[in-house]
Amino acid sequence: MASDWLGSLVSLNCGPTLGVYQGEVSSVDQSSQTISLRQPFHNGVKCPVPEVTFSAIDIKELKILDIRNGNVRINPSPAAKGSTVPVAVPKGDPRSVEKLNSPQQCSKSYGERHLDALGQPKGFRRRHNSWSSTSRGANQATPKKNGVKNGQMKNRDDECFGDGMDDGLDTDFDFEGNLALFDKAAVFSEIDTTERRSGARSRGTPQDQTPTRYRHDENILEGKPVVYRQIVVPQPGPKEYCTDSGLVVPSISYELHKRLLSAAERYGLTLERRLEMTGVCASQMTLTLLGGPNRFTPKNLHQRPTVALLCGPHVQGAQGISCGRHLANHEVEVILFLPNFVKLLDSVTSELTLFIKTGGKQVSSIKDLPDTPVDLIINCLDCHENTFLMDQPWYRAAAEWANQNRAPVLSLDPPVSGQGHAVEAKWSLSLCLPLPLAEGAGRVYLCDIGIPRQVFQEVGIKYHSPFGCKFVIPLHSA
């Protein structure tokens, strides 16, 4: 009877310690109660020895794998109950039969790893380095290299990296399936509930507020509450503005504005120094509007921007000429319009003399202004004191040219809203504190001309600088 089992394919379950062995029965000894398997597989991996012998005491379950007509019939041991189940497999492939009962998905215990380490130390290392055999198909040849044939190169790769153990490593790990088993919402909810019960929050985060995200230019530690109304004037104007950081900047009347400039002049901030500071701030704002560093590079010298500067015979005109001089020094093509007058202010004459030395163009007739649109128009036609200039022919002609040129307009130190604006502006630049400007003034900017804090206090203004690290800041209607 023992000889009837010879040549049969069997599967031996030897428990969790020894694992599952499969192979062809080579001998059965009834007296010693042992069975031997030829070309055995241990837990789906081919054993390095040609034959393994088992004692009946170690066998927990025995399954007979009999190949007949391309079907495998699994005959359970006498201790197990059930019917024979036919499973279709490729004919004559013992490894396919072995894969049916291979427990590859189960992790090995410590005893199994110890047995593997004793029985196949080299094979274990080669198995973890056999990526080349796994990544390529069984019949796929290695590409040619340095004139060596594919077959020879493949043999070398298999000899170096593979040992015939890669057949059971074809199943890919299901990352998506395992990730779906992890319910992140439930885990975080459980953590949050645990922290609330214990009265602790991770990293010291308060329980009743979300951590604040700060910008790179914000101060995280605040020593005291921020006061947003740091400028208080004796007579608030009809308008209030605020900076990007939320500081309130009230408008002042022209009378208070004039008193402030007069007090600063008494302490040494003369008209010439004020003109220079205004020209620097206005030119810096203009360079930014023209494109800043993206426009003013050595590669763009052939695309010099053109600015038309419209000035009147007053202090506001002198401020515009000072701005034009700095722009011309920065490779901007400046065309200055200033009508001919018999007598000009000394400040206007001094600024005009310096401007001519820059090589900028000066015209006194509207006909000499460009017919095509320019990059920017700086409007310095209006005056705070003399409103009759708007009736002059040169003023009306210059305002009409500006409105028809279709270029954006920057108004420098425009008057209060009651006087009106003949030229519609996109931006307006005010000095030290803004005047209540009309809607036609566009977006309002403010520049620092260097008036000390105690000079503000002398005229009744409680002042803290809203400029921060800049000399020109934008204002928003509060």
Side-chain angles (χ1 to χ4, degrees):
M1 294 294 294
S3 60
D4 296 338
W5 300 99
L6 300 179
S8 300
L9 296 177
V10 297
S11 175
L12 304 181
N13 185 357
C14 299
T17 302
L18 298 179
V20 179
Y21 285 80
Q22 297 162 335
E24 181 182 348
V25 178
S26 59
S27 66
V28 178
D29 191 345
Q30 295 183 351
S31 60
S32 60
Q33 294 292 304
T34 59
I35 183 173
S36 300
L37 300 183
R38 184 187 298 116
Q39 298 180 357
F41 282 79
H42 177 227
N43 291 333
V45 180
K46 187 177 181 180
C47 297
V49 295
E51 189 175 87
V52 180
T53 303
F54 300 89
S55 177
I57 301 176
D58 299 327
I59 301 175
K60 306 299 181 182
E61 184 181 8
L62 186 147
K63 294 182 180 180
I64 306 299
L65 309 177
D66 189 11
I67 301 179
R68 295 179 182 176
N69 298 326
N71 293 330
V72 175
R73 298 185 181 273
I74 302 177
N75 300 322
S77 62
K81 296 182 179 180
S83 59
T84 302
V85 182
V87 181
V89 297
K91 185 176 181 179
D93 190 354
R95 291 185 298 178
S96 301
V97 178
E98 175 269 331
K99 290 181 181 179
L100 293 175
N101 295 287
S102 173
Q104 299 173 16
Q105 299 178 356
C106 300
S107 60
K108 294 185 179 181
S109 63
Y110 174 78
E112 293 170 332
R113 292 195 302 270
H114 183 65
L115 292 176
D116 290 347
L118 294 177
Q120 47 180 357
K122 295 182 179 179
F124 181 81
R125 289 194 295 270
R126 289 198 300 270
R127 177 186 177 186
H128 283 268
N129 290 305
S130 58
W131 59 270
S132 59
S133 300
T134 305
S135 61
R136 300 191 305 270
N139 298 322
Q140 183 177 354
T142 306
K144 294 183 179 180
K145 184 177 181 181
N146 296 331
V148 182
K149 294 183 179 180
N150 293 342
Q152 297 177 0
M153 182 64 71
K154 183 179 187 302
N155 294 334
R156 291 184 181 180
D157 289 344
D158 293 340
E159 182 180 349
C160 180
F161 298 106
D163 56 356
M165 297 182 182
D166 302 322
D167 296 332
L169 303 177
D170 295 335
T171 304
D172 295 334
F173 182 75
D174 188 3
F175 288 96
E176 296 182 359
N178 282 267
L179 183 61
L181 300 177
F182 176 58
D183 191 352
K184 293 184 288 186
V187 173
F188 287 123
S189 177
E190 182 179 355
I191 295 175
D192 187 65
T193 303
T194 305
E195 289 177 345
R196 289 183 179 180
R197 290 178 180 176
S198 61
R201 298 286 290 183
S202 61
R203 299 182 181 90
T205 305
Q207 298 184 15
D208 54 351
Q209 73 178 42
T210 305
T212 305
R213 293 185 178 181
Y214 296 94
R215 299 197 311 267
H216 67 280
D217 57 348
E218 287 185 304
N219 187 14
I220 299 178
L221 300 178
E222 297 180 356
K224 56 183 179 180
V226 180
V227 179
Y228 291 99
R229 190 174 292 275
Q230 300 180 0
I231 302 176
V232 180
V233 296
Q235 296 178 353
K239 284 190 175 184
E240 279 190 343
Y241 302 91
C242 64
T243 64
D244 288 340
S245 58
L247 298 178
V248 178
V249 180
S251 63
I252 59 176
S253 62
Y254 174 69
E255 288 74 16
L256 182 59
H257 180 80
K258 186 166 57 175
R259 287 171 49 200
L260 178 62
L261 296 181
S262 178
E265 192 169 352
R266 289 199 307 270
Y267 288 103
L269 189 61
T270 60
L271 175 60
E272 288 76 14
R273 298 179 65 179
R274 196 171 77 231
L275 292 175
E276 187 68 15
M277 195 67 188
T278 304
V280 170
C281 292
S283 61
Q284 183 62 62
M285 179 179 176
T286 301
L287 293 174
T288 303
L289 295 176
L290 292 175
N294 296 326
R295 182 78 179 272
F296 293 91
T297 62
K299 297 180 180 180
N300 288 337
L301 290 179
H302 62 288
Q303 297 178 350
R304 295 177 56 186
T306 302
V307 173
L309 189 60
L310 309 180
C311 297
H314 38 62
V315 175
Q316 282 68 37
Q319 294 174 161
I321 300 174
S322 175
C323 173
R325 168 167 53 90
H326 290 289
L327 291 177
N329 289 338
H330 286 265
E331 302 299 329
V332 178
E333 185 177 351
V334 181
I335 303 175
L336 169 62
F337 168 78
L338 181 66
N340 290 325
F341 290 95
V342 178
K343 179 66 176 178
L344 292 174
L345 296 177
D346 294 339
S347 57
V348 177
T349 303
S350 300
E351 293 297 334
L352 184 59
T353 302
L354 288 173
F355 173 79
I356 294 175
K357 296 299 181 180
T358 64
K361 183 179 180 181
Q362 178 195 358
V363 298
S364 58
S365 175
I366 300 298
K367 298 179 181 180
D368 297 329
L369 290 175
D371 297 332
T372 58
V374 295
D375 292 272
L376 183 68
I377 297 174
I378 300 180
N379 177 26
C380 300
L381 297 173
D382 298 301
C383 177
H384 295 287
E385 302 287 345
N386 190 358
T387 60
F388 299 102
L389 293 177
M390 300 180 64
D391 298 330
Q392 299 293 325
W394 61 267
Y395 183 99
R396 294 197 303 268
E400 183 179 0
W401 177 88
N403 292 327
Q404 293 181 355
N405 190 264
R406 295 179 298 175
V409 178
L410 168 64
S411 291
L412 181 56
D413 193 16
V416 295
S417 59
Q419 299 184 14
H421 298 276
V423 179
E424 196 78 11
K426 188 174 183 178
W427 309 280
S428 290
L429 182 62
S430 296
L431 312 182
C432 59
L433 284 177
L435 300 174
L437 302 180
E439 296 297 331
R443 186 174 184 181
V444 181
Y445 284 76
L446 191 67
C447 73
D448 184 11
I449 59 175
I451 299 179
R453 178 185 299 180
Q454 293 186 3
V455 177
F456 283 95
Q457 295 178 354
E458 185 173 319
V459 296
I461 300 176
K462 180 184 176 181
Y463 181 81
H464 290 272
S465 174
F467 292 96
C469 62
K470 300 179 180 179
F471 282 87
V472 179
I473 58 174
L475 297 181
H476 312 275
S477 299

